[in-house]
Amino acid sequence: MKFSSREDIEAPIDHVYAAVTDFGAYERQALRRGADVRRTDGSGPAVLGSTWDVAFSYRGKDRKLKAKLVRYDDQGLQLDTTSSGIDGQTVIDLVPLSPKRTRLAVSIEMKAKSLPARLLLQSLKLAKASLTTRFKKRVADFASDVESRYKPGA
């Protein structure tokens, strides 16, 4: 199952890159939503190979997810995740369209590795239209937030 979205942001790539790679902000956002997030490779700035353990509740069940940063360069990043028989891959790519305009492309792909995971993904596929709409709205909200925080000349 795959979700993807693209947004053009009126800000230079370095500003967008700083927002996309603000892992502390992602951790705080997950904590606000009730997840337990723990960085397992130490503290400091995230680097290639950084890992996180995340515990959260979904559909009345406690779930655990492990995430690893497997690509981290000036054009974006890739996080590989594993959770209860589901392997996932999140890819964020940045493309400079002009000196003050950047394209943000986000994709999430999930693959089932067990029968219960297949059943979970199958139930998600039934709601794919609404999940896709929510995903695209979240990416658009993020892009809008990054754009609003950009101050030319600052």
Side-chain angles (χ1 to χ4, degrees):
M1 182 172 193
K2 187 171 184 173
F3 298 97
S4 61
S5 183
R6 265 191 339 221
E7 291 290 328
D8 291 348
I9 302 172
E10 291 293 332
I13 192 167
D14 57 339
H15 177 77
V16 179
Y17 180 81
V20 164
T21 59
D22 185 359
F23 295 101
Y26 297 134
E27 291 173 11
R28 290 186 299 276
Q29 185 178 42
L31 289 170
R32 281 193 302 271
R33 292 181 180 182
D36 178 34
V37 180
R38 188 171 54 87
R39 176 115 173 254
T40 56
D41 68 320
S43 60
V47 295
L48 189 63
S50 290
T51 56
W52 292 264
D53 283 342
V54 182
F56 58 97
S57 181
Y58 182 73
R59 292 191 175 185
K61 287 185 78 177
D62 289 336
R63 313 258 181 197
K64 293 185 180 191
L65 176 129
K66 292 187 178 292
K68 182 174 185 179
L69 189 58
V70 296
R71 183 179 69 111
Y72 189 45
D73 56 37
D74 58 351
Q75 298 297 310
L77 59 94
Q78 177 181 327
L79 274 170
D80 285 353
T81 57
T82 58
S83 171
S84 305
I86 297 177
D87 288 346
Q89 185 178 68
T90 302
V91 178
I92 300 174
D93 286 318
L94 303 175
V95 178
L97 300 176
S98 74
K100 294 185 179 179
R101 190 169 176 83
T102 304
R103 175 162 292 154
L104 168 71
V106 182
S107 68
I108 297 174
E109 187 170 4
M110 296 177 283
K111 294 181 182 173
K113 298 294 182 187
S114 67
L115 184 58
R118 281 187 191 164
L119 293 173
L120 176 61
L121 285 184
Q122 191 62 36
S123 69
L124 292 177
K125 284 180 183 175
L126 295 174
K128 185 156 194 227
S130 66
L131 291 172
T132 298
T133 301
R134 284 174 47 195
F135 176 75
K136 288 186 177 203
K137 183 179 180 339
R138 286 242 172 114
V139 173
D141 289 347
F142 177 82
S144 176
D145 183 52
V146 171
E147 196 171 278
S148 70
R149 286 186 280 142
Y150 173 62
K151 308 275 189 278

